[in-house]
Amino acid sequence: MTDAVDPPKARRPNTRLEEVARAAGVSKSTVSRVINGEPYVSSRAREAVHLAIGKLGYSPNQAARTLAGSRANCIALVVSEQGSRVLADPFFAGVLRGVHAELAGKRVQLVLMMSKEGDEQDLVNYLCGGHVDGVLVISLHGQDPLPRTLADAGLPTVVGGRPLGAGGVPYVDSDNFNGAMEAARYLVSRGRKRIATIAGPRDMAVGMDRLSGWKRGLSQARLDTDLVAYGDFTPESGAAAMADLLKRAPDLDAVFVGADIMALGALQTLHVHGKRVPDDVAVVGFDDLMIASTAVPPLTTIRQDVEQLGRTMTWRLMAELAGEENLPPFLLLPTAMVTRSSA
Amino acid sequence: MTDAVDPPKARRPNTRLEEVARAAGVSKSTVSRVINGEPYVSSRAREAVHLAIGKLGYSPNQAARTLAGSRANCIALVVSEQGSRVLADPFFAGVLRGVHAELAGKRVQLVLMMSKEGDEQDLVNYLCGGHVDGVLVISLHGQDPLPRTLADAGLPTVVGGRPLGAGGVPYVDSDNFNGAMEAARYLVSRGRKRIATIAGPRDMAVGMDRLSGWKRGLSQARLDTDLVAYGDFTPESGAAAMADLLKRAPDLDAVFVGADIMALGALQTLHVHGKRVPDDVAVVGFDDLMIASTAVPPLTTIRQDVEQLGRTMTWRLMAELAGEENLPPFLLLPTAMVTRSSA
DNA sequence: CCAAAACCTGGGAGCGCTCCCAGAACGTTC
DNA sequence: GAACGTTCTGGGAGCGCTCCCAGGTTTTGG
């Protein structure tokens, strides 16, 4: 077509749509239609295009599609946290696994982002810049304004774990309240009378919900709910909290620990104090991490299906992106008691 | 310019470069230069642009940049594996953390991908389609052809963990050999005579390297290296392997377990068999997972800095992308012995 | 004081795709 | 056979940016 002097186009990394069109003997438009699975393409053309694509090893340029179309075929998983610490969390890993599983087969990419110290504005700008179609937020701590901000900006957003501050933003969470209540009731049913709890931080919904469930379970049985200690989801904090409880109530005969990871520390402290588990003190954890079954003794715990959480978040987001209406504003996933030897 | 009838452009999600230019009273080119930190921009223009950007809340459209420029400002982290299982691995989490830490501040996004069953061709197409500038591959198992394929396609690639089959592709790994040798020597130095090992699977370099190191450590002390059992990096397999070893050599007085996660199982088995740790049998693990310190007894182990691995991989890739030459083809990260009570 | 070099600036051609529009080919009905 | 749908197809205008080029404005040096 052009008779200009040849431009020094160095890069020619890939087949372009046009080459496929030429190879298939159709127009760009038709190739585009085939790729996007649109109707109104003759089966002859469709086959020719598929053949050409296969032969040329064509893969559409995502950037161009995003630019020309209006969606990015890409969602972000945002970990709203000081960051690095969270990635070590099995919770995060499980969610990630679920997100990936749910995305399998869909032509949607996952971009992982973390809000770095103060860079929040950058993050929001980026996310709202049309680079992603929707956002999954894992916001473990406190009154994080991020979900609210994103939702207000009109970006479809789903939060994992009940957000404390973001009223109205759709979220998915495990049913921490009922799980914890079940744990408490179980301990009651085993004849325990002096039941303590080690709860998570007060600024995390997951900690508070489990604490509430425990309280409800005990108060239904007319038992005291005064034996509460707090940890921060580390084994060390669990150990310290256990020591504190033991000092306050040497006669306690059970403890519900709001996270397996803290239960590990609690077990250590009990061991050090010469308390036999479960004979002297029954221990129930929460989460059912892998380490729960390998703990000494193996930990009775409330299992939450974190992978399912990731899957459900993703499903919810994709459904919204697909334009489904009247979707549930929030979803609670059931938990299940796993009885091992610690209680 | 155009006097056409107004087109029904529904979407106008964001500020565009041109609006910034108008607001700042300069041309698109100048704005672009400011954004990309190019020289040859007067400070007056630069300030005006920054002001306009701030006022308008402008954030450049990534898709357009990628399309127009030649780089995507985006790298992929590929987990080459049947997938879901790996995400639960603390190794993966650590690497991810490191990658993120290294990327902080750089304007580079991270896309997470997994090679799903058979979809490998799709993956390769996508990655080679210019959608990412480079690839980080975590390939845990066997003779995975993926790194080779990517590298051959001219895509800058760095592998995490020594790949068995991908000769020539740059990789970063912990110094498993020397770490394991140190473990063996330590046991020898503590007077242990009958030292066994539980190794990882034969098709994983990490398992073999640690096994080799253990062998070398023992043979230097003229000790037998026949007490080898294999596991698959699960606590259960560690327990089974330990039982096997105990049957084969009831007199063994030490075991080097090629992964903390397997050591957990081994500890359980030893406990069941009435063996005291470390009095009867000394146990040394590898990895220094968080669970190592909370094990009963706390596990002496070889620490590998997985986060550093992720960081180093990323650094290596970014250096290559930046055009640095004569980069080291592979990098080995030192390990460190962590002495606790199990040995 | 003028030429060369160094700075700064704007214009405009794409990047590879989608999506709109106009029109061709093929029925179907009166 | 004219008039109308319905199915299919190609052309071409952008999407928002980068990067090249040409030209203007300063500084420098002889």
Side-chain angles (χ1 to χ4, degrees):
Chain A
M1 249 33 148
T2 75
D3 53 354
V5 290
D6 80 314
K9 51 178 76 174
R11 59 183 279 276
R12 169 57 48 89
N14 233 43
T15 334
R16 269 120 42 265
L17 186 80
E18 191 153 9
E19 295 178 20
V20 176
R22 214 177 307 130
V26 298
S27 73
K28 278 169 40 181
S29 306
T30 300
V31 178
S32 178
R33 282 184 197 105
V34 171
I35 289 172
N36 294 297
E38 282 169 32
Y40 295 155
V41 180
S42 66
S43 51
R44 207 166 51 81
R46 193 179 303 277
E47 275 159 33
V49 169
H50 276 136
L51 206 74
I53 287 178
K55 195 157 52 191
L56 273 57
Y58 169 76
S59 147
N61 181 312
Q62 211 56 40
R65 302 185 82 181
T66 303
L67 185 58
S70 17
R71 66 224 155 316
N73 292 313
C74 178
I75 64 174
L77 176 61
V78 177
V79 182
S80 175
E81 195 75 15
Q82 292 81 322
S84 44
R85 233 192 56 205
V86 185
L87 293 185
D89 199 319
F91 176 78
F92 170 77
V95 170
L96 187 53
R97 205 159 68 235
V99 171
H100 242 299
E102 191 70 22
L103 247 30
K106 301 197 173 49
R107 301 189 133 267
V108 172
Q109 287 309 313
L110 215 217
V111 177
L112 204 62
M113 306 192 71
M114 289 170 29
S115 61
K116 303 150 197 159
E117 301 271 326
D119 263 16
E120 266 208 348
Q121 193 50 53
D122 263 19
L123 217 194
V124 171
N125 274 348
Y126 184 90
L127 290 173
C128 297
H131 313 133
V132 299
D133 299 324
V135 183
L136 261 20
V137 182
I138 299 186
S139 175
L140 297 179
H141 261 293
Q143 318 258 350
D144 196 315
L146 185 68
R148 200 40 300 140
T149 310
L150 294 174
D152 284 346
L155 200 63
T157 303
V158 175
V159 184
R162 183 166 75 87
L164 275 179
V169 182
Y171 72 84
V172 182
D173 201 355
S174 290
D175 193 346
N176 291 306
F177 180 88
N178 281 309
M181 187 163 68
E182 186 179 3
R185 281 182 177 166
Y186 175 80
L187 289 170
V188 169
S189 77
R190 308 288 285 186
R192 305 288 168 164
K193 298 295 180 198
R194 197 76 176 104
I195 305 174
T197 191
I198 298 176
R202 291 176 183 77
D203 67 343
M204 293 174 69
V206 54
M208 290 306 93
D209 290 350
R210 291 174 187 179
L211 177 58
S212 303
W214 170 84
K215 279 187 177 161
R216 176 101 180 101
L218 288 204
S219 58
Q220 277 191 331
R222 313 230 174 278
L223 291 177
D224 275 350
T225 59
D226 58 323
L227 281 182
V228 180
Y230 294 90
D232 62 0
F233 291 136
T234 60
E236 294 74 27
S237 70
M242 191 69 241
D244 177 45
L245 288 171
L246 243 24
K247 197 164 61 186
R248 281 159 54 191
D251 61 324
L252 64 81
D253 58 7
V255 59
F256 163 62
V257 189
D260 288 351
I261 191 74
M262 292 196 293
L264 239 47
L267 284 177
Q268 266 185 333
T269 298
L270 287 168
H271 184 72
V272 167
H273 283 243
K275 298 283 192 183
R276 288 165 307 163
V277 175
D279 312 278
D280 301 326
V281 178
V283 178
V284 176
F286 205 117
D287 288 338
D288 195 25
L289 303 186
M290 187 172 59
I291 50 167
S293 61
T294 57
V296 185
L299 200 61
T300 291
T301 191
I302 305 295
R303 152 178 271 272
Q304 69 163 329
D305 192 341
V306 186
E307 178 167 343
Q308 189 58 49
L309 184 67
R311 296 190 72 120
T312 307
M313 287 171 68
T314 309
W315 165 79
R316 176 63 173 73
L317 181 61
M318 298 305 288
E320 188 167 338
L321 292 181
E324 279 186 46
E325 291 179 5
N326 296 320
L327 287 164
F330 61 90
L331 291 152
L332 245 35
L333 271 26
T335 57
M337 178 118 195
V338 180
T339 312
R340 298 205 180 87
S341 16
S342 73
Chain B
M1 252 26 153
T2 76
D3 53 355
V5 291
D6 79 314
K9 50 178 77 175
R11 60 182 277 276
R12 170 57 46 92
N14 234 42
T15 333
R16 269 120 41 266
L17 187 81
E18 190 154 9
E19 295 178 19
V20 176
R22 212 177 309 130
V26 296
S27 73
K28 277 168 41 179
S29 306
T30 298
V31 178
S32 178
R33 281 185 198 104
V34 171
I35 289 171
N36 294 296
E38 282 169 33
Y40 295 156
V41 180
S42 66
S43 52
R44 206 166 51 81
R46 193 179 303 277
E47 274 159 34
V49 169
H50 276 136
L51 206 75
I53 287 178
K55 193 158 53 193
L56 273 57
Y58 169 75
S59 148
N61 181 312
Q62 211 56 39
R65 302 184 83 182
T66 303
L67 187 57
S70 16
R71 66 222 154 318
N73 291 314
C74 178
I75 65 174
L77 176 60
V78 177
V79 182
S80 174
E81 195 74 16
Q82 292 83 321
S84 44
R85 233 193 56 205
V86 185
L87 293 185
D89 199 318
F91 176 79
F92 169 78
V95 170
L96 186 53
R97 205 160 68 232
V99 171
H100 242 298
E102 191 69 23
L103 247 30
K106 301 196 173 48
R107 300 190 134 265
V108 173
Q109 286 310 313
L110 215 216
V111 177
L112 205 61
M113 306 193 72
M114 289 169 30
S115 61
K116 303 149 197 160
E117 301 271 325
D119 264 16
E120 266 208 347
Q121 193 50 52
D122 263 19
L123 218 194
V124 172
N125 274 347
Y126 184 89
L127 290 174
C128 298
H131 313 133
V132 299
D133 300 324
V135 182
L136 261 20
V137 181
I138 298 186
S139 174
L140 296 179
H141 261 292
Q143 318 260 350
D144 196 314
L146 185 67
R148 203 32 308 137
T149 310
L150 293 174
D152 285 346
L155 200 63
T157 302
V158 175
V159 185
R162 181 167 76 86
L164 277 180
V169 182
Y171 71 85
V172 182
D173 202 355
S174 290
D175 193 346
N176 292 305
F177 181 87
N178 282 311
M181 186 164 69
E182 186 178 2
R185 283 183 177 166
Y186 174 81
L187 289 170
V188 170
S189 77
R190 307 289 284 188
R192 306 289 168 164
K193 298 296 179 195
R194 199 74 177 105
I195 305 175
T197 191
I198 298 176
R202 291 175 183 78
D203 67 341
M204 292 174 70
V206 55
M208 291 305 93
D209 291 348
R210 291 175 187 178
L211 177 58
S212 303
W214 170 83
K215 279 186 177 163
R216 177 104 180 97
L218 288 204
S219 57
Q220 276 191 332
R222 312 232 175 276
L223 291 176
D224 276 348
T225 60
D226 57 322
L227 281 181
V228 180
Y230 294 90
D232 63 358
F233 292 136
T234 60
E236 294 75 26
S237 70
M242 191 68 241
D244 176 44
L245 288 172
L246 244 23
K247 197 165 62 187
R248 281 159 56 192
D251 62 327
L252 64 80
D253 59 6
V255 57
F256 163 62
V257 189
D260 288 351
I261 192 77
M262 293 196 294
L264 239 47
L267 245 28
Q268 265 185 333
T269 299
L270 287 169
H271 184 72
V272 168
H273 284 243
K275 298 282 190 183
R276 290 165 307 161
V277 176
D279 313 278
D280 301 326
V281 178
V283 177
V284 176
F286 205 118
D287 288 340
D288 195 26
L289 303 185
M290 186 172 58
I291 50 167
S293 61
T294 58
V296 186
L299 199 61
T300 291
T301 191
I302 306 295
R303 153 178 270 271
Q304 69 162 330
D305 192 340
V306 187
E307 178 166 344
Q308 190 57 49
L309 184 67
R311 296 190 73 120
T312 307
M313 288 172 67
T314 310
W315 165 79
R316 176 64 172 73
L317 180 62
M318 297 305 286
E320 189 168 338
L321 292 180
E324 277 185 46
E325 292 179 5
N326 296 320
L327 287 163
F330 61 90
L331 292 153
L332 246 34
L333 270 26
T335 57
M337 179 117 193
V338 180
T339 311
R340 298 205 180 88
S341 18
S342 73

